[in-house]
Structure formats: C-alpha cells, structure tokens
Amino acid sequence: MKMKKKDVSESLELRTENMKVMYDKRKGSWDLFLKDVQLLRNATVGVTLSDEIPKYSLELEKKNIQVDDFKDHIGEGEKLYAVLGVQEDIQLEFNLFLYRKIDLIALDLAIVNDSLMDLYLNTLIPLSVAPITGGGLLISDMPSRCTILGNNLVMNESKITKMDGRGIATNYWSSAVCDRITGKSLVAGIGETANAIDMITFKVEGDKFGFDIIGGCYSDLSNRPLRMKAGKTFKLNRIILVPDDNIHRGLERYAKYVQDYVAIRLHKPYAGVFTGYSS
C-alpha cells in the first residue's frame, strides 16, 4: 500500500468530511476536531513500567511516523502509525484509525520488548490529555456544565457524575461526557474484549479539563505488574472515541461499532419471552 503523507512539515493531517486529526511529529501528540471545532488538544500516549513512573510520548524518542489508507470489516479511512522508543530495544507502537463514513476514532497501543531481558508492565496509556502538559478536553468552555456517565469496576450499576469547579470522576470500560447546555459529547470505551483494567478518568480544576484512558496491565488483583518475556509484544484492547453533538446518538454509535467489530449477534428469543429484548 502506498504511503500517503498529507504534510511534509512538523504535522500530519488526517481528515474526513466532519472530523480532523492533526498529529505533531515533533511532540508525538495530536489534536481532534469535529466540524472544525477542537475537542482534544495535545493528546499523548504513554507507558508505566516497573519503576511506576509514567512516560509519555512528549518525552519518548520518535522513531517512525507514517499515514496510510486502511480498510477493515467495519469501514475504511486513514491510519496513523507511530513508533516511540521507551528504552533501548523497548518501544511503543501506536495506531490511530480515523473512519471516514462513521466519524469515529479507534486507538491501538502495543509495547514491544525486543530486549534480552523480561520487563514488568504496569500500565499502557492510549490517551492522555493533561493540562500539566498543555493538553485539554475542550468539550465545553465551562467544565462545571458537564455530566459524566460511566460504570464501576464490576459493572453492576451505572454512575452519573455532575462535575464542579474541582472534581474527578473515574469509570471503567466505557464512559461519556456531555455539556448539558450545548449537547456536545464524547463517548470513550473499549472496542473489543478487554485484556486489561481500563480506567477512564475526567478531572476538572477550574476551567481546565483533563482526560485519561489507562489500561492497568496487572497479573492479579493485588496489582502486580504483568511480566513480559524477552521478544514478546503486548497489545492493549482497542479504544474507541465517538464525538457527537448529541450524547444519545453518540452512545448508540459506540454500541453499534462494538457490536459490528466484535461480530456480536443477538438471537431473537422465543415469542412471548422478554418481548422488550426481542423488539
């Protein structure tokens, strides 16, 4: 497949009719726009190894960046591929898929251990927009107007959090944020069966809005890090981002993508049983 670079300067652009991603090759960060309105600023990826100190793409070695077309069983669009050096012979491989017709983003993040030693992996971070590094979630100019929807760890109940001037909300597996006045929303969650403990955190400090998705790569419930043998690769489950002007439509679009990507087929039950389910 022929590589299709959009820009030879310090940035690369991926675009659909309604969405745009601008990737800064120097920083290793990206911005997201919906209908030319910016939603994410300075989004990064990262990793936490056994030293428990997160390392983000802003500080990692930029080894390879390219943009290609892609096509899968869901649709087609443009894919950004970036390789980031963590340590000698240890690297992150980041793929960002921008689907043309369905206006959503899929994120894949993997760590490759090409060293001769085993390593211990605490977390993979497919998305971080932290105000401390210049990042920001720009879904609303007043974060206190936002409501967060989400799940607890065992998914036995839903959570609704109304943000204020200083607040934090952590959900698991999937979450959504919505401005109650404008209706602008962003749905984020797993796009396939989880292989980590995926935590989605929103944090407000005054007018600054932060947003992180972290995959906890633990080997047991005591949060012991995952051991990766030399020569092995670990890819975190896919993460999906669905921006929309209507949160109800955004949630439906997220559910439809997961259903189609994982090829979930709901079988219609016998007549008269669970009629609400069968309708």
Side-chain angles (χ1 to χ4, degrees):
M1 183 178 295
K2 186 177 179 180
M3 186 174 70
K4 185 172 66 174
K5 288 191 175 181
K6 291 283 188 176
D7 199 326
V8 295
S9 65
E10 290 298 320
S11 63
L12 291 169
E13 177 183 305
L14 294 78
R15 178 185 284 272
T16 68
E17 183 177 352
N18 295 314
M19 294 178 62
K20 179 174 70 173
V21 170
M22 295 294 296
Y23 186 85
D24 189 312
K25 296 186 289 185
R26 181 177 57 85
K27 293 181 178 179
S29 64
W30 54 280
D31 301 333
L32 171 64
F33 299 80
L34 176 64
K35 299 177 181 177
D36 292 323
V37 176
Q38 191 169 10
L39 298 182
L40 296 179
R41 181 182 62 234
N42 212 33
T44 63
V45 302
V47 62
T48 309
L49 300 177
S50 57
D51 58 7
E52 299 185 354
I53 301 174
K55 297 179 177 65
Y56 296 97
S57 50
L58 296 173
E59 59 190 288
L60 300 181
E61 178 187 1
K62 285 68 175 177
K63 289 189 170 183
N64 185 19
I65 304 169
Q66 64 187 56
V67 173
D68 296 321
D69 289 329
F70 81 92
K71 184 176 182 180
D72 61 20
H73 62 291
I74 300 298
E76 49 84 27
E78 290 183 296
K79 177 184 74 171
L80 182 142
Y81 171 73
V83 180
L84 303 159
V86 180
Q87 297 176 3
E88 186 175 0
D89 297 323
I90 299 173
Q91 63 191 29
L92 296 179
E93 293 186 352
F94 174 59
N95 285 281
L96 184 153
F97 301 86
L98 179 61
Y99 286 86
R100 286 197 179 95
K101 293 185 178 180
I102 54 178
D103 283 336
L104 59 75
I105 286 176
L107 305 176
D108 285 347
L109 182 63
I111 184 168
V112 181
N113 181 14
D114 283 333
S115 72
L116 300 177
M117 304 287 291
D118 294 353
L119 67 83
Y120 290 87
L121 175 64
N122 271 290
T123 67
L124 283 175
I125 307 168
L127 180 68
S128 176
V129 283
I132 194 172
T133 58
L137 173 63
L138 309 178
I139 202 78
S140 173
D141 57 2
M142 293 182 62
S144 59
R145 290 200 311 240
C146 289
T147 296
I148 311 294
L149 308 179
N151 309 290
N152 62 14
L153 180 59
V154 295
M155 296 187 69
N156 59 359
E157 63 180 20
S158 298
K159 294 169 57 182
I160 300 177
T161 306
K162 290 186 178 181
M163 305 303 286
D164 54 27
R166 293 182 65 86
I168 186 168
T170 297
N171 295 301
Y172 295 85
W173 321 120
S174 62
S175 188
V177 57
C178 175
D179 185 311
R180 297 187 296 274
I181 304 301
T182 66
K184 290 181 181 178
S185 66
L186 178 68
V187 181
I190 58 176
E192 59 186 333
T193 303
N195 61 1
I197 300 176
D198 296 283
M199 297 164 282
I200 304 170
T201 299
F202 299 90
K203 185 176 183 180
V204 173
E205 292 188 4
D207 61 349
K208 301 184 184 302
F209 211 162
F211 173 40
D212 292 289
I213 301 177
I214 299 175
C217 306
Y218 307 122
S219 59
D220 55 30
L221 295 178
S222 63
N223 291 353
R224 289 195 299 177
L226 178 69
R227 179 184 178 185
M228 279 188 64
K229 292 185 176 181
K232 296 295 184 179
T233 297
F234 177 80
K235 186 184 90 65
L236 184 70
N237 49 254
R238 174 166 287 199
I239 296 295
I240 305 300
L241 301 177
V242 185
D244 206 297
D245 293 330
N246 182 293
I247 191 170
H248 303 290
R249 184 172 58 218
L251 289 166
E252 290 176 353
R253 290 173 53 215
Y254 168 68
K256 181 68 166 61
Y257 178 91
V258 175
Q259 176 185 345
D260 292 343
Y261 189 78
V262 187
I264 299 172
R265 295 293 177 262
L266 301 178
H267 299 285
K268 192 171 182 178
Y270 295 110
V273 179
F274 304 124
T275 54
Y277 168 78
S278 62
S279 60

